[in-house]
Amino acid sequence: MRFLHLLPVGKIEARLLEGLRPHLTTAFGMPCRLLPNALDPAFAFQPGRQQYHSTEILDRLRTCVVPDTWRLLGVTAADVCIPILTFVFGEAQRNGACALVSTHRLRQEFYGLPPDSGLLEGRLLKEALHELGHTLDLRHCEDYTCAMAAAHSVEWIDLRAPRFCEHCRARIATKSLEREWVSAR
């Protein structure tokens, strides 16, 4: 049996990871398991930016993939970036095994607003679906309500639904059939 593994990257509330599990299991039809150890992202810290390089974390996540891993999603509270962008909400290996999402800029507190745990959990789910969709070779979707829609601000994430549009679901189903075919061989 293969699993969608969740890996804490640095300190992250366990309730956020536990809250993702049933939704991701339903969305991908794959059991979701929380890995017991956390990855320390200190190696990816960029002193000049006071942020963490998400691509370096993503590269390190590859070393955490085990034989029963279907996909590995790292979840961090750290502020993550790539050299050409001020920040990213997440990053994924397109058509690969690993993805990363950050809660840092998903929190209302980042924007000077009162905390809203329900909104944070919803945004995290949408970002997790989005980045895991990239691991299934999905590109950005033109349907702004689809989890695969591009989002360069948190307001755009809020417009997304926590699900894939019909077109993207069909592509995931195709990937599932490929997965079954490969595992049967």
Side-chain angles (χ1 to χ4, degrees), residues 4 20-30 32 70 125 128-130 132 136 147 162-164 168-169 172-173 176 179:
L4 194 172
L20 277 177
R21 290 178 58 200
H23 297 292
L24 296 179
T25 296
T26 299
F28 296 103
M30 186 65 62
C32 187
W70 173 68
L125 173 59
L129 292 172
H130 183 90
L132 288 168
L136 293 167
R163 61 180 165 14
F164 298 102
C168 289
R169 272 198 314 270
I172 290 171
S176 295
R179 180 181 62 232

Side-chain angles (χ1 to χ4, degrees), residues 57-77:
I57 296 172
L58 199 55
D59 286 343
R60 187 69 58 94
L61 288 177
R62 289 181 200 172
T63 66
C64 302
V65 171
V66 294
D68 67 350
T69 300
W70 173 68
R71 293 291 185 274
L72 174 65
L73 177 66
V75 182
T76 186

Side-chain angles (χ1 to χ4, degrees), residues 101-156:
V101 292
S102 167
T103 61
H104 188 79
R105 293 175 189 253
L106 301 179
R107 296 178 181 278
Q108 287 291 79
E109 303 92 297
F110 181 81
Y111 305 97
L113 299 169
D116 185 332
S117 61
L119 188 58
L120 172 62
E121 291 166 11
R123 288 173 176 170
L124 177 59
L125 173 59
K126 294 173 189 179
E127 276 304 298
L129 292 172
H130 183 90
E131 296 306 336
L132 288 168
H134 283 313
T135 69
L136 293 167
D137 203 25
L138 294 181
R139 296 173 185 256
H140 287 155
C141 181
E142 293 183 13
D143 179 349
Y144 71 90
T145 65
C146 177
M148 290 310 298
H152 303 291
S153 71
V154 75
E155 290 84 4
W156 282 97

Side-chain angles (χ1 to χ4, degrees), residues 49 51 53-55 81-88 91:
R49 296 179 68 156
Q51 293 175 300
H53 193 295
S54 65
T55 308
C81 65
I82 58 175
I84 61 169
L85 293 175
T86 306
F87 71 92
V88 292
E91 186 176 357

